[in-house]
Amino acid sequence: MAALTRSSFSVFRRLVTQQYRCQCFRMQHVRCFRPVPSLSVACKRSPKILNSRSLHAAIVNRGPIIQFKLSDIGEGIMEGDRVSQFDSICEVQSDKASVTITSRYDGVITKLYYDVEATALVGKPLVDIETESSSEVIQEEDVVETPAMAREEHTHQEIKGQKTQATPAVRRLAMENNIKLSEVVGTGKDGRILKEDILNYLAKQTGAILPPAPSPAPTPPPPPATAVSPAAMLQAPPTSPKPVFTGKDVTEPLKGFHKAMVKTMSAALKIPHFGYCDEVDLSRLVALRKDLKPIAEFRGVKLSYMPFFIKAASLGLMHFPILNASVDEACQNITYKASHNIGLAMDTTQGLLVPNVKNVQVLSVLQIAQELNRLQVLGAAGQLGSADLSGGTFTLSNIGSIGGTYAKPVILPPEVAIGALGKIQILPRFDTSGQVVRAHIMNVSWSADHRIIDGATMCRFSNLWKEYLENPACMVLDLK
């Protein structure tokens, strides 16, 4: 073996490095989108040969443009904005639901297909997103989303493997201040992010201090009473300046549930309404509910009077199926509905909503109470979906929970009948022996489509419904 000196070893290393460099860069091509300025480097030391492993060649390619189709619901973006996966794009509000849409890709918004307040079509492109070539692109398919999925996306937004819970108002506030919800710690129930969490996070980022709650100003002590002379009493009282009202009228467009109500009530105006009223003695039902209420609470169900009203209506519809029907716009055909989807008019923060209990004819009173508890929780949170709000065949309005005895309910097309329940009052009534007794009286008001329902049919149905409630034991004979 021959011994190598330091100088000969340097020459040998240069030859090997040059050959290795030629082999590494023989087939490589570097594509530049803009000219690279030449750099001049002044070195005081002797130049060193760089190791070829420290050199890298990058290939830059633009990714395809993906059409993001409208399949669910979100908040505002502009052309040129960069979005990441799960970022909110916009908020879409239909006649019955309001949901937030999130991005499925990382990229830049290149085109908007709709303006603000415009009507977007389901399954059509919403925006164009220019994605990066390194990101995996999955072409969207036209999928009809179930209402249950729409409700879940409205409540939860999945970000990096975890679900962030926040209301649309909180998401809008976070987006306006460029705050990622994944970076905010929620202090609400089950980690829900509240408005105060966003404000506290923003204060920490900007160094601002939230203003403290205003403290009431101290009340000065009353001045000491002084004697008033008769001459001063005869003088006219001092004139005080008249108050000036500075309020202004506010005009805003109808949208969301209010716009849907205008459409529904305009269609209901074309229906000739027939009205019928009666009173029901609920004394026996009140005693029965008092006995069953602890049992229902033990099973985790809040039992009100409404499940009995709904079940009695379903039993009555068995004998009068025309009240559970619908008629076409030309009033040429009647469709008798097999399912008893009985709706309940509900007063919510979003306005009047009418969710319905599906297939009441096969449910027990306790099962109806469970479904009503679920709908009331969703209604209070503003999370009722289109599945809960559509498909109704008959409606009851519990207006008596707010107040009033009689009402004139308006039919919800394409249904043909509706009932309004007044408040329960304790009034004097005569019993079978002629004695005056305390009675729990409730008034009911019915409206029917007089084009296909006559007064006698509505009266017979009301009498049967009344019999079930005044003698709850009769319901047991017809239960299936």
Side-chain angles (χ1 to χ4, degrees):
M1 296 181 62
L4 296 177
T5 62
R6 178 173 299 182
S7 59
S8 59
F9 181 79
S10 300
V11 174
F12 176 77
R13 187 177 61 181
R14 292 179 182 178
L15 292 176
V16 173
T17 303
Q18 292 176 0
Q19 292 178 0
Y20 180 81
R21 188 185 307 166
C22 293
Q23 292 177 0
C24 291
F25 294 94
R26 184 172 302 166
M27 301 300 296
Q28 296 291 336
H29 299 277
V30 180
R31 180 182 177 187
C32 298
F33 293 99
R34 49 188 177 186
V36 179
S38 59
L39 299 176
S40 59
V41 180
C43 298
K44 295 183 180 180
R45 302 180 181 178
S46 59
K48 296 182 179 180
I49 298 177
L50 298 176
N51 190 347
S52 60
R53 295 182 181 178
S54 63
L55 300 178
H56 301 275
I59 301 177
V60 182
N61 291 322
R62 290 185 178 272
I65 295 178
I66 304 300
Q67 288 184 343
F68 187 95
K69 297 182 179 180
L70 175 59
S71 60
D72 53 351
I73 301 193
E75 297 181 55
I77 39 86
M78 299 177 60
E79 294 183 1
D81 290 348
R82 173 171 291 276
V83 294
S84 301
Q85 193 174 10
F86 305 116
D87 282 355
S88 297
I89 289 185
C90 64
E91 179 180 293
V92 178
Q93 191 173 43
S94 67
D95 290 347
K96 297 180 179 179
S98 178
V99 189
T100 300
I101 294 181
T102 57
S103 176
R104 300 184 183 179
Y105 312 103
D106 298 337
V108 179
I109 302 297
T110 59
K111 182 178 180 180
L112 299 178
Y113 284 84
Y114 299 99
D115 296 329
V116 178
E117 302 295 340
T119 301
L121 301 179
V122 175
K124 297 299 181 180
L126 182 61
V127 298
D128 283 351
I129 301 178
E130 181 178 335
T131 61
E132 300 175 357
S133 59
S134 59
S135 61
E136 181 180 359
V137 176
I138 301 177
Q139 293 294 335
E140 291 188 22
E141 299 178 358
D142 294 335
V143 179
V144 179
E145 184 176 307
T146 62
M149 294 173 60
R151 285 199 311 272
E152 184 176 355
E153 284 192 358
H154 180 66
T155 308
H156 305 292
Q157 183 182 16
E158 186 175 348
I159 302 178
K160 297 181 180 180
Q162 62 180 356
K163 291 182 179 179
T164 302
Q165 303 183 35
T167 61
V170 174
R171 295 181 185 277
R172 182 184 298 275
L173 179 62
M175 196 189 97
E176 291 176 352
N177 293 276
N178 296 324
I179 297 176
K180 292 184 178 180
L181 293 179
S182 59
E183 300 177 355
V184 181
V185 178
T187 60
K189 182 179 180 182
D190 297 331
R192 182 181 298 274
I193 298 178
L194 307 178
K195 180 180 178 181
E196 291 76 9
D197 300 333
I198 299 296
L199 296 177
N200 293 334
Y201 179 85
L202 185 61
K204 293 179 180 179
Q205 295 296 323
T206 58
I209 300 177
L210 297 179
S215 57
T219 304
T226 57
V228 180
S229 61
M233 296 178 61
L234 297 176
Q235 294 179 358
T239 58
S240 59
K242 295 183 179 181
V244 179
F245 180 70
T246 58
K248 295 182 180 179
D249 297 340
V250 178
T251 303
E252 59 182 17
L254 287 173
K255 55 185 178 180
F257 297 105
H258 294 286
K259 191 174 183 180
M261 183 181 294
V262 171
K263 180 180 177 181
T264 304
M265 293 298 100
S266 298
L269 188 62
K270 303 176 183 179
I271 301 176
H273 284 56
F274 167 78
Y276 178 81
C277 301
D278 201 357
E279 73 172 30
V280 186
D281 187 354
L282 300 179
S283 299
R284 294 182 181 178
L285 181 61
V286 171
L288 177 62
R289 174 180 173 268
K290 183 178 180 181
D291 296 336
L292 298 179
K293 188 175 180 180
I295 301 176
E297 290 179 352
F298 179 76
R299 300 185 184 183
V301 180
K302 181 181 179 182
L303 183 62
S304 62
Y305 294 104
M306 203 64 198
F308 297 96
F309 300 154
I310 292 177
K311 189 60 181 180
S314 178
L315 295 176
L317 294 177
M318 292 287 189
H319 298 273
F320 300 93
I322 194 172
L323 297 176
N324 194 57
S326 64
V327 62
D328 57 7
E329 294 184 1
C331 203
Q332 300 296 323
N333 301 287
I334 301 176
T335 302
Y336 294 89
K337 303 294 185 178
S339 299
H340 295 174
N341 300 337
I342 299 182
L344 172 66
M346 186 178 298
D347 181 35
T348 68
T349 56
Q350 296 175 310
L352 176 64
L353 300 180
V354 188
N356 57 83
V357 181
K358 301 291 193 299
N359 300 316
V360 177
Q361 73 278 5
V362 297
L363 299 179
S364 65
V365 174
L366 186 64
Q367 290 172 330
I368 297 173
Q370 289 176 332
E371 182 66 9
L372 285 178
N373 292 165
R374 184 186 70 86
L375 294 176
Q376 289 170 354
V377 171
L378 293 177
Q383 297 175 5
L384 287 169
S386 58
D388 298 322
L389 297 170
S390 60
T393 60
F394 188 86
T395 301
L396 292 177
S397 174
N398 190 18
I399 190 64
S401 61
I402 302 176
T405 54
Y406 290 99
K408 187 179 180 181
V410 181
I411 300 172
L412 300 175
E415 299 176 15
V416 295
I418 185 175
L421 311 177
K423 64 181 180 180
I424 300 176
Q425 306 176 85
I426 300 178
L427 301 175
R429 290 293 184 270
F430 290 99
D431 60 6
T432 55
S433 60
Q435 301 296 324
V436 177
V437 295
R438 286 163 45 97
H440 294 77
I441 303 299
M442 182 188 72
N443 302 112
V444 58
S445 305
W446 302 102
S447 292
D449 189 341
H450 213 0
R451 295 175 298 180
I452 60 173
I453 300 175
D454 54 32
T457 301
M458 191 74 253
C459 180
R460 293 189 181 99
F461 168 81
S462 179
N463 290 339
L464 181 58
W465 180 77
K466 174 181 177 180
E467 179 67 19
Y468 284 134
L469 296 178
E470 290 186 341
N471 301 283
C474 296
M475 298 177 61
V476 179
L477 298 178
D478 292 335
L479 291 177
K480 296 182 180 179

